[in-house]
Amino acid sequence: CPMVSAGLFGAASVTDWVDGYLARLWKQQTALGALLDPLADKLLVMGTLSILVQDAGSAAVTIPAAIILARELGVSSLR
């Protein structure tokens, strides 16, 4: 199951990059897209970290994941 999860995360990351690249290339940027794209990126990372912590169940994974999640929430709240 971890390989499937890694594959899905990789596919989502690649499609996100392609979407951004094409939007810039074709000059199709909108205010809504500028707002939602970082939000979608954060949800992808937070969801992945949450699943990783659930599967690992180790402090070596949980503590760094908690720090990353706290940082993401902190940075988002300041913007």
Side-chain angles (χ1 to χ4, degrees):
C1 187
M3 293 304 290
V4 173
S5 300
L8 289 174
F9 180 78
S13 298
V14 168
T15 59
D16 180 53
W17 179 83
V18 169
D19 173 57
Y21 175 77
L22 292 176
R24 287 186 299 276
L25 182 67
W26 295 336
K27 296 181 181 20
Q28 296 293 314
Q29 300 168 342
T30 65
L32 181 61
L35 174 72
L36 293 180
D37 188 58
L39 179 64
D41 293 344
K42 291 197 185 333
L43 286 174
L44 178 64
V45 170
M46 293 173 118
T48 302
L49 285 174
S50 298
I51 292 168
L52 180 64
V53 166
Q54 178 184 358
D55 286 345
S58 166
V61 174
T62 303
I63 292 171
I67 291 169
I68 293 169
L69 291 175
R71 182 195 171 280
E72 291 291 329
L73 290 172
V75 169
S76 294
S77 66
L78 292 175
R79 290 184 183 179

